[in-house]
Amino acid sequence: MREARVSRKTAETAIEVTVNLDGTGQYDCQTGVGFFDHMLDQLARHSLMDLTVRAKGDTHIDDHHTVEDTGIALGQTLTQALGDKRGIRRYGQFRLAMDDAQVACALDLSARPYLVWNVPFPTPKIGTFDTELVREFFQALSTHGGITLHVDLVHGVNSHHIAEAAFKAVARALREAVEPDPRMAGALPSTKGAL
Ligand SMILES: [Mn+2]
């Protein structure tokens, strides 16, 4: 089974993440940051990974550490669950429309972290949530998940829709990339001999 569990504790946050790459998109995410829980739920639902997240962070300061460290822990969990990456598709892409917003994602489970983030938000906040934290989350996920991750806003006017479209586009692209490719027949999707 391609499953993993990671616990990560610092002076700022305590986080536990479990992932099953071959799940059905079941989720149970509680981080103390309501909008972020809503986004993590989307990530699970649309990637078809089963995902549980428990995070207790220093949200009395702001949501930054909790969101970033959840990205770190989730990236580490993905790396563990993917193992040697034999037989997977490796690449994924999705262009997702949500009301006014359209976001395009292309990613490679390359073990070469690189984030290209072209998603300007029209407002600094979604409710109490800082929109700049969306980038922080994906930066951490890219670094610790070993993902070359490109996310571009095609257009959009509503910050909630833009954030949600970004999470859903990444989720859909991830679904494709982690999926077993029967034609790979368990081979490594690389000519280098390691990923
Ligand atoms: Mn929503």
Side-chain angles (χ1 to χ4, degrees):
M1 277 303 250
R2 297 190 301 166
E3 295 176 304
R5 168 188 294 270
V6 163
S7 294
R8 187 177 186 277
K9 200 171 184 332
T10 70
E12 295 166 346
T13 62
I15 296 172
E16 210 168 289
V17 177
T18 67
V19 154
N20 175 6
L21 299 182
D22 303 302
T24 55
Q26 307 217 46
Y27 52 83
D28 180 7
C29 302
Q30 296 176 31
T31 66
V33 182
F35 181 75
F36 186 44
D37 291 348
H38 179 42
M39 294 300 101
L40 292 171
D41 293 349
Q42 304 301 332
L43 197 61
R45 182 69 274 178
H46 295 283
S47 65
L48 297 183
M49 296 187 292
D50 293 341
L51 176 66
T52 65
V53 178
R54 288 288 179 280
K56 278 202 196 316
D58 54 1
T59 49
H60 60 283
I61 298 174
D62 67 4
D63 300 336
H64 193 115
H65 301 140
T66 301
V67 172
E68 182 179 19
D69 292 2
T70 299
I72 292 171
L74 178 58
Q76 291 172 340
T77 316
L78 282 180
T79 297
Q80 267 190 39
L82 278 164
D84 64 8
K85 300 183 185 165
R86 286 188 177 277
I88 64 165
R89 294 191 190 279
R90 176 180 166 182
Y91 298 99
Q93 61 168 326
F94 208 86
R95 190 158 161 160
L96 189 133
M98 180 178 175
D99 301 334
D100 53 282
Q102 189 179 136
V103 174
C105 171
L107 61 81
D108 176 10
L109 301 175
S110 58
R112 295 195 304 279
Y114 200 106
L115 177 69
V116 175
W117 181 256
N118 252 315
V119 185
F121 284 96
T123 62
K125 293 266 192 190
I126 299 166
T128 59
F129 185 81
D130 295 316
T131 49
E132 65 180 11
L133 297 183
V134 179
R135 186 187 195 282
E136 293 305 303
F137 171 78
F138 284 114
Q139 176 69 73
L141 184 71
S142 161
T143 300
H144 295 271
I147 306 169
T148 306
L149 178 61
H150 295 205
V151 189
D152 293 281
L153 176 66
V154 181
H155 53 248
V157 294
N158 179 279
S159 291
H160 186 125
H161 292 158
I162 291 169
E164 191 161 339
F167 273 86
K168 286 175 169 175
V170 172
R172 275 288 179 155
L174 262 179
R175 170 184 168 178
E176 187 182 347
V178 306
E179 218 164 53
D181 179 349
R183 290 187 66 195
M184 288 299 297
L188 201 67
S190 167
T191 56
K192 288 185 182 162
L195 255 187

